[in-house]
Amino acid sequence: MLLGYIALTVFYVGDKFYYLFDYMAYSLPLMKSSIVGFTNFTVILNHWAIYLFAGIAFICFTVALFKRLPNSRRSSYP
């Protein structure tokens, strides 16, 4: 299933959806020069920011759903 997802993102999706599903940055234009550096640095920063904020959001979502406090009304403790 993972190989199917990788093949789908590499061959079909590509640069659609602003590289959202390209988690390996395979389709990003990553040309680097010793004089200029990365040519399209804003796209790289957007790609990093998408996954950074998605990761932070999933962590916060997990913490919000984790019923761990015994005195809480939504607690799963008896």
Side-chain angles (χ1 to χ4, degrees):
M1 188 150 159
L2 182 61
L3 290 176
Y5 177 72
I6 292 171
L8 183 73
T9 58
V10 169
F11 297 116
Y12 180 70
V13 176
D15 60 348
K16 296 175 187 139
F17 304 110
Y18 205 69
Y19 307 107
L20 177 65
F21 300 106
D22 189 14
Y23 67 96
M24 295 184 298
Y26 186 76
S27 299
L28 282 176
L30 295 174
M31 293 188 200
K32 181 162 175 23
S33 169
S34 61
I35 298 171
V36 189
F38 284 110
T39 57
N40 207 355
F41 199 63
T42 57
V43 174
I44 296 169
L45 285 179
N46 285 338
H47 192 263
W48 289 343
I50 286 170
Y51 281 100
L52 174 72
F53 291 130
I56 291 171
F58 282 129
I59 289 172
C60 292
F61 185 67
T62 302
V63 168
L65 291 180
F66 191 49
K67 300 171 187 168
R68 59 182 168 77
L69 296 174
N71 293 334
S72 175
R73 286 183 279 141
R74 300 182 321 179
S75 176
S76 60
Y77 294 115

